[in-house]
Amino acid sequence: MTAKQFFSKVQIPSAEPYRVADLRARVERYLPELAASLSQVYPDAEGVVARVAEILAHNLAARSAELQALDLQRVHTPDWFQKPEMVGYIAYTERFAQNLRGVIEKIPYLQELGVKYLHLMPLLLPRPGESDGGYAVADYRQIRPDLGTMDDLETLTTALRHQGISLCLDLVLNHVAREHPWAEAARRGQEKYRNYFYIYPDRSVPDQLERTLPEVFPDFAPGNFTWEEEVQGWVWTTFNSWQWDVNWSNPEVFLEYLDLILWLANKGVDVFRLDAIAFTWKRMGTNCQNQPEVHALTQALRAAVRIGAPAAVFKAEAIVSPEDLIAYLGQGVHYGKVSDLAYHNTLMVQIWSSLASRDTRLFNQALLRFPEKPASTAWATYLRLHDDIGWAISDTDAAAVGLNGAAHRRFLSDFYKGDFPGSFARGMHFQDNPDTGDRRTSGSAASLAGLEVALESGNRHLIDQAIERILLAHAVFIGYGEGFPLVYMGDELGYLNDYDFVHDPAHKDDNRWLHRPQMDWAKAAKRHQEGTLEGRVFLGLKGLLEAKARTPHLHAAFPTRPLWQANPHLLVLRRNHPEGVLVQVYNFSEHDQPLPWDTLRDAGIVQPYDHIGEAVAPAYLMGYSRLWLTQK
Ligand code: GLC
């Protein structure tokens, strides 16, 4: 289909001339990307393009004037999510503010931290009972009744937008709940909907597939297939038995999700977190992750969304190795054409690894080997979020600094459970898998960083140290600079592990609830009292976020490079920016260390000025200190 034909199908007859011109320009720009990527996955790509035009037409017609204005604004500011002032916050609606209306009342709290992006954890209608924290969606067009309605969501996105805050929602696109209408129709025997899933009449194919498939939740959901009496078949269920993987090789599935994204974008959703995206294409003989088709499909979705709702962007949730991860921001033919954002899992793991070992050599090595991202994209950097920490230490990196990968991974999981001698941490093992040796960790940032143990000891010195450790860890991902930081609810107040999850039957088997706390607003009020724990952590974090916002060097378009140090306790990062060089120095040990003068001099910094403390740099680095330095 030519751009002209496509445009004639999607145009809005009554639109003003400049809107017509704008839409035409978008079609001309993105139709080739849409068509090229669809032809990589679907035999009848032309037919799919025609259906995309229909879906765009009705969603474009329904897009509000205010959102169209936002489209225009973002088209003219394509780096809106890369700016130094971007700060993200992640929260469970009910645990943060009870419901969607409650979130509106908490906007001032978010503004105190400078939040510009809010990720509310799954809030679309989940299946009843266990729902993997809402990641088993029964209806994508309904809100969980206890949280509100679609109208409430629209009211919230509008209120947020008026304060310059964008909303991120999860788009679970690898699976639906077994109670979703598609799965129910399949269970009733409707052929059309059986083809939305992977259903096998006997074990022959599943057994073959299992040979190369890993298990995500070996403890509570072993295997990747579930026998379903009603469909008389084995259903592909990568995650839990009640999360049915959808079949993206069926173009109907693609079209359903596209329509859904545009519909939600019209409700004011700005960022779509593409949940478990790595798993969306299956191929016999592989681990069925990171297949090339995943990127072709993302490109197709994005190209269509750029035509229909260009204010919206994608964030890939792909917790995979760096070599595989970079493709989610675009490599080769998909360069800069897929997700705009992706999680920087390596940075998170390395922060914890260096805190435990007080040694940054592995951190340096991992960053040195980390592929460079497209300049137009950004990493979502973080320390903790709602999932477990998987100890993604590469064997190659470990060997390069004289470590054994498997031994170091074991050390980290022991350390962060609190089992390793001298450990400051308190956490729990998640999905201990004796077959593979994989053992992940649950726990809140503060508990993992030593605050829980320190408070129990009552030792003031240890408490001070734990707080400094928390702030150092935050400084590293807040200051990293190739993207924007995500603060995880509770961490800004130093929340400890929440052991109450065991009393909830829907949560007790999944200890990720250890670090999904309930906001205690009475305690949060103490953040304004000097000397309180909440106040020290909150003000420390707020200071870092403010420093980030006023440091132009932290725009995400520019790369961050590690500078190897003879002193293994220091992590030193360099950012070259048109306004000058920024060198960040982090002390990962509790002991004082000298400033790395040679490195600073090489970077042209002889009178170092620290942008966090807004002062001339101190002569030496105290334990866990952090400096963002430029020449004064
Ligand atoms: C993502 C979510 C995780 C969930 C999984 C399955 O990884 O972050 O919480 O269990 O997807 O939807």
Side-chain angles (χ1 to χ4, degrees):
M1 196 183 293
T2 65
K4 209 168 162 190
Q5 290 163 332
F6 193 91
F7 176 72
S8 72
K9 285 180 163 243
V10 300
Q11 69 159 322
I12 307 152
S14 58
E16 299 147 48
Y18 79 91
R19 292 240 190 265
V20 176
D22 174 41
L23 184 60
R24 184 177 292 126
R26 284 191 247 153
V27 168
E28 280 167 6
R29 164 74 176 77
Y30 288 106
L31 180 63
E33 282 182 19
L34 174 72
S37 49
L38 286 175
S39 66
Q40 283 163 27
V41 275
Y42 300 129
D44 177 27
E46 262 297 294
V48 182
V49 170
R51 298 272 304 282
V52 169
E54 285 164 27
I55 291 172
L56 277 169
H58 70 251
N59 284 291
L60 273 163
R63 194 150 174 86
S64 73
E66 189 172 318
L67 287 172
Q68 290 186 49
L70 185 68
D71 287 338
L72 201 61
Q73 190 187 324
R74 289 197 175 151
V75 164
H76 288 292
T77 320
D79 66 339
W80 65 273
F81 57 84
Q82 296 188 299
K83 299 199 178 230
E85 58 264 33
M86 277 301 284
V87 169
Y89 190 80
I90 312 172
Y92 284 88
T93 306
E94 70 284 9
R95 292 178 170 241
F96 178 60
Q98 250 181 9
N99 54 35
L100 293 174
R101 291 192 172 267
V103 176
I104 298 183
E105 281 161 42
K106 298 300 178 201
I107 290 178
Y109 178 77
L110 298 174
Q111 285 175 318
E112 244 182 277
L113 282 171
V115 170
K116 298 272 186 288
Y117 161 109
L118 174 63
H119 172 198
L120 288 180
M121 296 297 294
L123 44 75
L124 304 176
L125 188 76
R127 72 191 292 270
E130 278 181 278
S131 68
D132 186 20
Y135 286 101
V137 182
D139 187 345
Y140 291 86
R141 295 185 195 241
Q142 259 192 74
I143 301 286
R144 240 170 73 184
D146 58 315
L147 301 181
T149 61
M150 266 298 160
D151 285 346
D152 292 335
L153 180 71
E154 240 181 305
T155 312
L156 172 64
T157 57
T158 309
L160 290 171
R161 187 177 327 117
H162 293 169
Q163 302 302 327
I165 303 174
S166 59
L167 183 77
C168 168
L169 274 202
D170 287 273
L171 185 78
V172 185
L173 38 64
N174 176 67
H175 43 264
V176 299
R178 114 183 241 290
E179 291 73 13
H180 186 282
W182 302 340
E184 287 194 329
R187 276 153 58 197
R188 283 196 306 272
Q190 284 187 38
E191 199 52 29
K192 169 173 177 189
Y193 290 101
R194 275 186 77 104
N195 294 333
Y196 276 38
F197 301 99
Y198 294 95
I199 303 175
Y200 303 97
D202 56 49
R203 283 295 310 183
S204 58
V205 177
D207 282 345
Q208 252 178 297
L209 285 161
E210 284 287 16
R211 275 185 223 139
T212 51
L213 281 176
E215 288 177 305
V216 180
F217 297 140
D219 281 3
F220 48 68
N224 287 282
F225 300 87
T226 304
W227 175 257
E228 279 283 349
E229 208 47 45
E230 282 163 277
V231 298
Q232 281 296 301
W234 291 91
V235 179
W236 199 316
T237 54
T238 301
F239 292 84
N240 288 289
S241 57
W242 27 262
Q243 286 166 303
W244 288 24
D245 289 37
V246 292
N247 178 357
W248 279 83
S249 71
N250 177 352
E252 295 302 324
V253 167
F254 170 84
L255 294 165
E256 296 266 16
Y257 274 100
L258 173 62
D259 191 34
L260 179 68
I261 295 174
L262 292 168
W263 186 80
L264 286 168
N266 281 353
K267 304 280 173 219
V269 175
D270 299 88
V271 182
F272 291 90
R273 174 185 177 279
L274 308 178
D275 181 69
I277 185 177
F279 298 84
T280 49
W281 194 272
K282 324 289 187 193
R283 175 165 283 114
M284 179 64 83
T286 72
N287 64 357
C288 295
Q289 290 181 44
N290 315 310
Q291 298 301 307
E293 289 82 354
V294 171
H295 308 301
L297 286 168
T298 317
Q299 176 174 322
L301 286 174
R302 180 177 182 271
V305 173
R306 287 286 143 131
I307 297 172
V313 298
F314 289 171
K315 175 169 71 167
E317 191 250 344
I319 308 302
V320 299
S321 74
E323 299 79 47
D324 290 322
L325 177 61
I326 196 68
Y328 290 85
L329 292 181
Q331 251 188 336
V333 292
H334 303 300
Y335 185 87
K337 297 191 180 96
V338 280
S339 288
D340 309 274
L341 302 159
Y343 289 95
H344 202 316
N345 182 56
T346 297
L347 186 71
M348 180 275 290
V349 167
Q350 291 298 337
I351 294 174
W352 289 113
S353 167
S354 287
L355 282 179
S357 64
R358 279 80 161 173
D359 190 313
T360 60
R361 283 173 287 191
L362 180 60
F363 200 153
N364 256 288
Q365 171 63 24
L367 290 183
L368 269 178
R369 258 197 349 118
F370 204 84
E372 201 167 310
K373 67 168 183 59
S376 60
T377 61
W379 294 114
T381 64
Y382 61 104
L383 181 64
R384 283 306 284 120
L385 31 78
H386 69 288
D387 280 325
D388 50 288
I389 303 175
W391 297 110
I393 300 290
S394 110
D395 290 338
T396 320
D397 288 342
V401 295
L403 293 173
N404 172 294
H408 191 63
R409 290 191 288 273
R410 192 126 279 253
F411 158 70
L412 290 171
S413 65
D414 283 343
F415 189 95
Y416 283 108
K417 180 163 181 287
D419 282 351
F420 195 84
S423 165
F424 48 70
R426 174 121 353 126
M428 285 183 177
H429 289 327
F430 180 73
Q431 309 293 321
D432 189 347
N433 189 339
D435 294 344
T436 59
D438 186 37
R439 201 158 77 176
R440 286 123 74 179
T441 298
S442 288
S444 80
S447 288
L448 296 180
L451 191 58
E452 189 169 329
V453 170
L455 285 171
E456 269 169 27
S457 77
N459 180 327
R460 286 189 68 130
H461 175 64
L462 291 183
I463 297 173
D464 289 349
Q465 231 172 42
I467 293 178
E468 290 306 309
R469 210 179 277 122
I470 291 171
L471 293 176
L472 168 74
H474 277 85
V476 178
F477 82 87
I478 289 172
Y480 189 66
E482 289 191 6
F484 68 87
L486 300 176
V487 176
Y488 181 62
M489 191 204 89
D491 288 351
E492 75 277 25
L493 297 160
Y495 274 21
L496 305 180
N497 291 335
D498 178 358
Y499 297 95
D500 278 350
F501 74 96
V502 295
H503 304 302
D504 185 334
H507 297 165
K508 66 175 187 2
D509 295 328
D510 184 345
N511 68 27
R512 290 177 297 173
W513 290 95
L514 184 64
H515 51 261
R516 298 174 180 175
Q518 185 77 42
M519 192 66 147
D520 177 345
W521 287 102
K523 267 182 85 183
K526 291 206 223 152
R527 70 189 181 279
H528 298 305
Q529 283 167 35
E530 219 181 299
T532 59
L533 213 133
E534 288 80 6
R536 289 173 69 188
V537 177
F538 189 87
L539 292 176
L541 233 73
K542 186 167 146 65
L544 288 166
L545 296 168
E546 284 168 358
K548 174 174 187 278
R550 60 173 184 257
T551 307
H553 309 74
L554 296 179
H555 189 289
F558 304 94
T560 302
R561 287 281 142 244
L563 300 177
W564 188 269
Q565 299 297 304
N567 180 346
H569 304 301
L570 299 188
L571 177 75
V572 181
L573 305 175
R574 171 176 176 146
R575 292 181 61 76
N576 294 346
H577 184 271
E579 290 181 43
V581 178
L582 174 78
V583 173
Q584 303 177 327
V585 184
Y586 300 109
N587 178 4
F588 271 82
S589 89
E590 48 271 79
H591 304 295
D592 296 352
Q593 307 293 333
L595 265 188
W597 279 110
D598 290 348
T599 304
L600 291 175
R601 237 174 270 124
D602 287 348
I605 300 177
V606 285
Q607 287 175 291
Y609 175 82
D610 172 29
H611 289 255
I612 301 178
E614 293 187 278
V616 172
Y620 63 91
L621 293 154
M622 294 201 302
Y624 295 126
S625 61
R626 50 265 165 202
L627 301 172
W628 298 347
L629 305 172
T630 57
Q631 169 65 9
K632 192 168 185 281

